[in-house]
Amino acid sequence: MAASPVVLGIESSCDETGAGIVQGGRLLAHVVASSMDEHARFGGVVPEIAARAHLHSFNPVVRQALDRAGLRADQLDAVAVTTGPGLSGALQVGLAGAKTLAYTLGVPLYGVHHLAGHVAADTLEHGPLPEPCVVLIVSGGHTSLLLVRDLVREPILHLGDTLDDAAGECFDKVARVFGLPYPGGPAIDRAARGGDPKAVTFPRPLTGGGARGEDPYAYSFSFSGLKTAAARWAEGHEQRGEELPVADGAASLQEAVADVLTRKAVAACRAYDVKTLVVVGGVAANSRVRALAERRCASAGIELRVPPMTLCTDNGAMIAAIGDLLVRADAPPAPLTLTIDPSAPLEYAALHPVA
């Protein structure tokens, strides 16, 4: 029996340059170089700095991934690359590198949707996705509830998306108000360990409910109002000349976000009679989101799948995982005229825009 194809995945949508290698659903190696420290002093990602960092990191990251897998470049059978969504300049760097590799090696090239990559990351830890499953994607730029059947063959059904700020964006912005460092998600998580999650009654947006089937926002998200409520709470302490109880504020904010995310995700599983919830994306690394999801899924008899923390944030392994699934499904590769789509909606795992 022939060996499974070896697929290299390239991720460069934001501030991480990632290369991963997957064969037959098994992760052989992955390496990530982050430019996060270069952006920290600006309080957020600067697109030009990110693109320049990808240029410097691309070749070393790919070489390290090959070395860790014990492979030569000419042993690769396909290359997959994120073509959207993301920062335009950053995506261009990754695509240019991936095209060069695919062309020189004479192997097929696959354009991949970044968010589908996050979903596929779970398969590297837990095996094939159950069909169907509900997927909660929660990150700095995206918060969505999806109904996924065959990830690489069928369209992905959106049950709900964020109407404004994503959960990770809310963490980042409130962290700045609280005087915590960038990135805000991990900083909020650390600060919350010493706080009381019931100290502040922050709102739970879009959880008003209504008659079954009549709430158009049942599975949608909105974190802009929560962000504003946290900012006003902090401003109130400043106006009164009081020291800001950062730990209590962080714990209460984190509790509100985790409550909304997990409440809606479990409700979606029940409504669609789905027995598996998959939580992916950078915010899936948040300790309270994980703990509350575990508790609520256990109470509802739902299997919870969450990738390891190293596969929650952006990485090349998740892109290689999607590429591996596409290759094994005999999906058509992309032409070398493949372009990027920085604002691509998530409809299919493959993303092959051309000029």
Side-chain angles (χ1 to χ4, degrees):
M1 185 171 62
S4 299
V6 179
V7 182
L8 170 70
I10 302 295
E11 160 60 24
S12 69
S13 64
C14 193
D15 59 341
E16 279 94 12
T17 310
I21 300 175
V22 170
Q23 181 181 32
R26 185 169 64 94
L27 180 61
L28 303 184
H30 86 107
V31 177
V32 177
S34 177
S35 58
M36 187 181 298
D37 291 345
E38 299 177 56
H39 305 283
R41 60 195 177 104
F42 299 101
V45 176
V46 180
E48 293 80 3
I49 293 176
R52 194 177 307 119
H54 290 307
L55 279 170
H56 290 304
S57 299
F58 185 92
N59 285 338
V61 162
V62 171
R63 281 197 301 268
Q64 288 178 49
L66 287 167
D67 288 345
R68 291 183 184 181
L71 296 170
R72 302 183 310 273
D74 62 8
Q75 292 176 288
L76 297 173
D77 296 300
V79 176
V81 60
T82 301
T83 47
L87 302 174
S88 178
L91 290 168
Q92 291 282 15
V93 174
L95 178 58
K99 281 185 177 181
T100 301
L101 285 169
Y103 178 77
T104 56
L105 296 172
V107 300
L109 175 70
Y110 292 86
V112 170
H113 197 289
H114 175 79
L115 297 183
H118 275 301
V119 180
D122 183 71
T123 67
L124 298 175
E125 178 71 11
H126 300 116
L129 293 171
E131 297 180 22
C133 61
V134 168
V135 177
L136 172 64
I137 297 181
V138 54
S139 67
H142 306 276
T143 304
S144 299
L145 263 177
L146 312 171
L147 183 64
V148 175
R149 293 184 173 90
D150 188 317
L151 180 60
V152 295
R153 290 186 177 93
E154 296 186 34
I156 296 166
L157 176 62
H158 287 245
L159 305 180
D161 298 282
T162 186
L163 304 178
D164 41 58
D165 291 353
E169 186 179 1
C170 175
F171 280 149
D172 283 341
K173 291 180 176 177
V174 174
R176 292 188 69 176
V177 174
F178 286 3
L180 296 172
Y182 176 85
I188 290 285
D189 202 353
R190 288 192 299 270
R193 294 170 191 164
D196 178 4
K198 298 180 181 179
V200 189
T201 307
F202 285 133
R204 270 57 169 172
L206 300 183
T207 56
R212 182 186 175 102
E214 294 181 6
D215 183 2
Y217 303 112
Y219 309 120
S220 299
F221 301 93
S222 170
F223 293 104
S224 180
L226 175 58
K227 172 195 69 181
T228 301
R232 295 291 175 268
W233 173 78
E235 289 169 6
H237 283 78
E238 182 180 356
Q239 290 169 358
R240 294 190 297 270
E242 300 172 352
E243 182 179 353
L244 184 67
V246 172
D248 285 346
S252 299
L253 176 76
Q254 184 171 261
E255 187 69 20
V257 171
D259 182 20
V260 171
L261 292 173
T262 57
R263 188 189 307 189
K264 286 175 177 280
V266 170
C269 289
R270 285 172 167 158
Y272 287 85
D273 194 26
V274 172
K275 301 303 182 185
T276 304
L277 171 65
V278 183
V279 183
V280 298
V283 179
N286 179 272
S287 62
R288 185 55 184 157
V289 170
R290 283 177 173 248
L292 194 54
E294 287 174 2
R295 193 184 83 196
R296 286 181 166 169
C297 283
S299 296
I302 297 168
E303 178 193 10
L304 175 66
R305 292 175 39 154
V306 187
M309 292 181 68
T310 55
L311 295 178
C312 285
T313 52
D314 294 350
N315 62 83
M318 68 187 198
I319 305 305
I322 277 286
D324 173 62
L325 291 173
L326 289 167
V327 170
R328 288 192 282 149
D330 293 323
L336 286 177
T337 53
L338 178 67
T339 61
I340 62 167
D341 186 350
S343 56
L346 177 57
E347 298 171 343
Y348 291 89
L351 181 60
H352 292 172
V354 293

